[in-house]
Amino acid sequence: MTTSSNPPNSVTPDQTSGMWGGRFSEATDAFVAEFTASVQFDQRFYKQDIAGSIAHATMLAKVGVLTEAERDDIIEGLSTIRSEIEAGTFEWRIDLEDVHMNIESRLTQRIGITGKKLHTGRSRNDQIATDIRLYLRDEIDDILKLLERLQKGLLGLAAKNVNTIMPGFTHLQTAQPVTFGHHLLAWFEMLVRDSERLQDCRKRVNRLPLGSAALAGTTYPIDRAYTAELLGFEAVCENSLDAVSDRDFAIEFNAAASLIMMHLSRMSEELILWTSAQFKFVNIPDRFCTGSSIMPQKKNPDVPELIRGKSGRVFGDLISLLTLMKGQPLAYNKDNQEDKEPLFDAIDTVRGSLMAFADMIPALVPNIEIMREAALRGFSTATDLADYLVKKGVAFRDAHEIVGKAVALGVAEEKDLSELTLEQLQQFSDLITADVFDKALTLEASVNARDHIGGTSPKQVEAAIARAHKRLEQLYA
Ligand code: ARG
């Protein structure tokens, strides 16, 4: 029979059972040790784990559980370990299961038995919950910076294209002319909501679980508010059972990340359409594209295509976390170790996608003439002609009917409404006079007429861009 061979106060807990082997009568099966380990992926948290431990030790010294000398030894030891990890000299051991035990074991190796006191009043359950929150908080802040950069890029491109006219679509059929600037501002709005969602999610991420210990709290006279302050948390998690178990904040992040990806995927789809030979609305510079190994003429919009594809994996990450959490009884369960990879994957994917978009958007080159010609096809000003008749007293439903007939003539003659003669138009209503061309049928008349907040007129788009800059200042204040 093997029992833990480490005598009390031993300084060499050189295998996992040194951490919890007291009640075990045999060593962990090698496969099980590897199967249950998380250090392969949770070593990402080393910085947060060390910061959390330093705050915990500082708090323990404040309340008299550790001496100041012990606290200082621990802090110095942990700082050295951080340098070792960053220098690549730290040896991560699968048999030590996770980031927490790897670091704690090394600490004890370095500073002796004081290292064994670090875990006083704490459990890996509240430790991991704290690490994830610290990590996610930092990632959210980085993602917000990327969103801001992309939004500024959109405003810059929109400002250059306040007067650029393109067809607006519904059902992917030509609907009404819009300005390209207005279209870009639609993308901007989607991202504003994405940013608001992330900032809102951040509030719930930014709570301290530490002090919950395994599930019920701890017998030591801890000062959780102090630890929270040291780590920059807004408040403490109010219930220890909840704090160690729920990952709703990570689910919420993945939901927000999914919506960002859904938006980027929609933008990608439009870019893919627009760069095709059939549309030719925009050019994406070569550096964002690749060619074909067989077709010499190809220039493929790989970046938007890949982002459209990557949206699927982030939605999958969201569903993974929801399914992981569903049905778990209180409090901590090992299931929760599976929260890391879907969270990391969503973070990495959304970051990479936003970075690609933020670089690509300011580099887009619209083909202004081609967009304009496209807007002249498909009877995009038909609604304007109906509105023109309404202003002359025709009921809208009747005006719709009249214009429908004029469009049918245009289809037959293969001409836009603006290319029909006044006489031809007058066959359908004698209320149509020579001013119809300037007032209703030109692209400029059409967009200029939509002159209210949220409308596509260049004047409104310019005002919307000015407001958008102010809104960004508030959003990222
Ligand atoms: N690696 C674990 C996780 O990711 C850390 C917490 C382990 N707690 C435990 N009681 N086994 O959730």
Side-chain angles (χ1 to χ4, degrees), residues 423-438:
E423 291 68 39
Q424 282 177 309
L425 289 169
Q426 282 172 335
Q427 296 170 48
F428 305 107
S429 167
D430 51 16
L431 292 171
I432 298 177
T433 50
D435 63 353
V436 72
F437 295 101
D438 280 350

Side-chain angles (χ1 to χ4, degrees), residues 38 41-42 45 128-129 132-133 244-251 254 317 320-321 324-325 328 332-347:
S38 56
F41 46 84
D42 66 16
F45 291 142
I128 186 63
I132 308 175
R133 285 167 182 267
V244 293
S245 65
D246 209 336
R247 297 292 183 263
D248 59 351
F249 62 90
I251 298 176
N254 273 13
D317 294 330
S320 294
L321 286 190
L324 171 70
M325 203 69 241
Q328 274 194 52
Y332 177 85
N333 301 281
K334 185 77 167 177
D335 310 43
N336 275 350
Q337 183 164 293
E338 287 290 307
D339 64 357
K340 317 280 175 306
E341 288 155 299
L343 179 64
F344 294 161
D345 188 66
I347 289 171

Side-chain angles (χ1 to χ4, degrees), residues 165 372 381 384-385 388 391-392 416-420 422 425 432-450:
I165 296 181
R372 190 186 165 80
T381 56
D384 296 273
L385 180 55
Y388 170 91
K391 280 173 204 148
K392 296 207 170 187
D416 181 57
L417 292 178
S418 61
E419 293 164 334
L420 296 176
L422 182 60
L425 289 169
I432 298 177
T433 50
D435 63 353
V436 72
F437 295 101
D438 280 350
K439 284 203 175 134
L441 296 182
T442 65
L443 297 177
E444 280 71 17
S446 176
V447 294
N448 286 337
R450 285 158 175 83

Side-chain angles (χ1 to χ4, degrees), residues 20 26 165 192 217 234 239 242 258-259 280 293 304 341 361 363 401 427 435 446 463 466:
W20 39 251
E26 60 179 356
I165 296 181
V192 170
E234 247 167 70
N239 181 288
D242 173 49
S258 293
L259 288 169
K280 286 203 227 149
S293 58
E341 288 155 299
I361 287 293
E401 170 81 15
Q427 296 170 48
D435 63 353
S446 176

